Amino acid sequence: MENNIDYRPINPSGLFDPSPFGFSHSIAVESPFQMCFISGQSGGVGEHHILSDDFKTQVQDALENLRIVLQSHSMTFDNIVKITLLIVNHNQQKLDIWAEEAKRVWSSLFLPTSTLIPVQQLALPNMLFEIDAIAVKSQ
């Protein structure tokens, strides 16, 4: 069966190389619209993926990494239609921190759909937060 959908991986410079771990940071899908599926972004900064021990800092860094991926697709946070949050040892304080940071990056007129999954551990022992996303824009 022939696939008429144009899709391509995009791994922006400034983020670590995910290929040794078997994934891409994002996939662009183009048809009458452009869809972008973005892998989980964590609080690690840059190519060496250095993590802070502070939850708020990890959330801010993950959102910055998400912004970098979106920018590589000529998109912004307002193009995101769905997010999934993974929070280690989730509690109300962490939820309040997340809500504060979400209000900082999304306009109040457009908030994406969301799923929050409390977890005991993420891919690295000191990861406290991860966010993945689906973004859409017209061609």
Side-chain angles (χ1 to χ4, degrees):
M1 177 175 263
E2 187 176 321
N3 182 352
N4 293 328
I5 299 173
D6 178 24
Y7 61 93
R8 60 192 160 80
I10 295 181
N11 293 302
S13 60
L15 298 181
F16 74 96
D17 179 8
S19 59
F21 304 102
F23 72 95
S24 296
H25 281 293
S26 64
I27 300 284
V29 178
E30 298 185 18
S31 187
F33 54 88
Q34 179 183 348
M35 269 182 102
C36 175
F37 297 84
I38 302 171
S39 291
Q41 299 298 310
S42 66
V45 177
E47 295 175 12
H48 300 291
H49 209 68
I50 298 168
L51 289 163
S52 165
D53 292 333
D54 179 62
F55 180 77
K56 183 173 183 172
T57 300
Q58 284 199 24
V59 170
Q60 291 170 336
D61 290 347
L63 288 170
E64 175 60 16
N65 291 338
L66 182 56
R67 186 198 61 75
I68 290 169
V69 175
L70 288 164
Q71 188 175 29
S72 73
H73 293 269
S74 300
M75 293 185 181
T76 69
F77 283 95
D78 286 339
N79 292 105
I80 294 175
V81 296
K82 172 74 171 99
I83 57 174
T84 303
L85 308 170
L86 302 162
I87 297 178
V88 173
N89 300 324
H90 170 67
N91 59 36
Q92 188 61 48
Q93 180 184 13
K94 289 179 179 179
L95 184 59
D96 291 345
I97 290 169
W98 162 251
E100 176 184 318
E101 293 304 315
K103 289 175 190 172
R104 186 175 57 82
V105 297
W106 274 284
S107 70
S108 61
L109 299 177
F110 184 86
L111 296 171
T113 61
S114 176
T115 300
L116 188 153
I117 303 171
V119 296
Q120 290 183 355
Q121 183 177 336
L122 290 165
L124 300 173
N126 50 347
M127 279 176 64
L128 303 174
F129 178 83
E130 188 170 5
I131 181 173
D132 71 16
I134 299 172
V136 179
K137 75 174 185 175
S138 62
Q139 293 282 33

